[in-house]
């Protein structure tokens, strides 16, 4: 399942992430760089499972690790900006895994199905919700929300 992140949602997510000059950034399930293209290339790690998408990311100059994000364990980061896969509830597993990769004082911003607002709990994180955003993904009628989750310093 692959639905590229629409530019409007990508820009909102990156703005909510409030990425500072020294922040290390993670973009899990990076796809074809809808989010990564807006992130600081030199301080961002992209994780992507698709070999083809990895080649696209590399061609754009991104730092890419080819891996299944759910099986990947990298160093803790300051900011995570994500549009995880939605099918079969994978958004929840991806979001929970990402939350465990935040440094103290870190922030996770994730584009999630609207139903996530009532069904996601991230202990130890202060969660705020933005949206909903309706019909933003081409060819779908899905409504999404954005999670902004902050870990105490």
């Amino acid at each position: 399942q692959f639905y590229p992140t629409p530019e409007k949602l990508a820009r909102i997510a990156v703005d909510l992430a409030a990425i500072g000059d020294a922040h290390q950034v993670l973009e899990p399930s990076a796809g074809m760089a809808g989010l990564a293209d807006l992130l600081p290339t030199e301080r961002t790690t992209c994780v992507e499972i698709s070999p083809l998408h990895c080649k696209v990311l590399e061609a754009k100059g991104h730092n890419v690790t080819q891996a299944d994000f759910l099986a990947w364990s990298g160093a803790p980061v300051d900011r995570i900006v994500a549009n995880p896969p939605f099918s079969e509830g994978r958004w929840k597993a991806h979001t929970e895994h990402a939350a465990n990769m935040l440094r103290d004082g870190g922030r996770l911003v994730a584009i999630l199905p609207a139903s996530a607002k009532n069904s996601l709990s991230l202990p130890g994180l202060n969660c705020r919700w933005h949206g909903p955003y309706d019909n933003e993904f081409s060819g779908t009628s899905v409504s999404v929300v954005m999670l902004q989750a902050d870990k105490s310093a």
Side-chain angles (χ1 to χ4, degrees), residues 55-153:
K55 289 184 190 317
V56 170
L57 290 160
E58 288 168 352
K60 290 181 167 191
H62 295 291
N63 174 24
V64 184
T65 298
Q66 183 179 348
D68 176 348
F69 177 64
L70 294 178
W72 184 76
S73 59
V77 295
D78 304 293
R79 297 292 187 265
I80 300 171
V81 185
N83 176 18
F86 287 10
S87 69
E88 300 170 7
R90 291 186 296 163
W91 63 266
K92 186 173 184 182
H94 279 249
T95 305
E96 290 169 345
H97 187 58
N100 289 326
M101 303 184 107
L102 280 177
R103 285 187 180 136
D104 290 346
R107 175 174 289 173
L108 163 65
V109 175
I111 300 168
L112 302 172
S115 61
K117 190 172 181 178
N118 299 318
S119 61
L120 182 66
S121 174
L122 297 173
L125 298 181
N126 179 23
C127 296
R128 292 183 16 192
W129 296 95
H130 303 268
Y133 304 92
D134 300 321
N135 304 311
E136 295 289 340
F137 287 87
S138 181
T140 74
S141 60
V142 67
S143 292
V144 298
V145 292
M146 278 199 218
L147 167 66
Q148 176 185 326
D150 294 307
K151 186 173 182 180
S152 297

Side-chain angles (χ1 to χ4, degrees), residues 18-40:
I19 299 166
D21 291 340
H23 289 148
Q24 294 298 310
V25 183
L26 172 65
E27 212 284 66
S29 302
M32 292 176 40
L35 289 166
D37 283 347
L38 302 175
L39 300 171

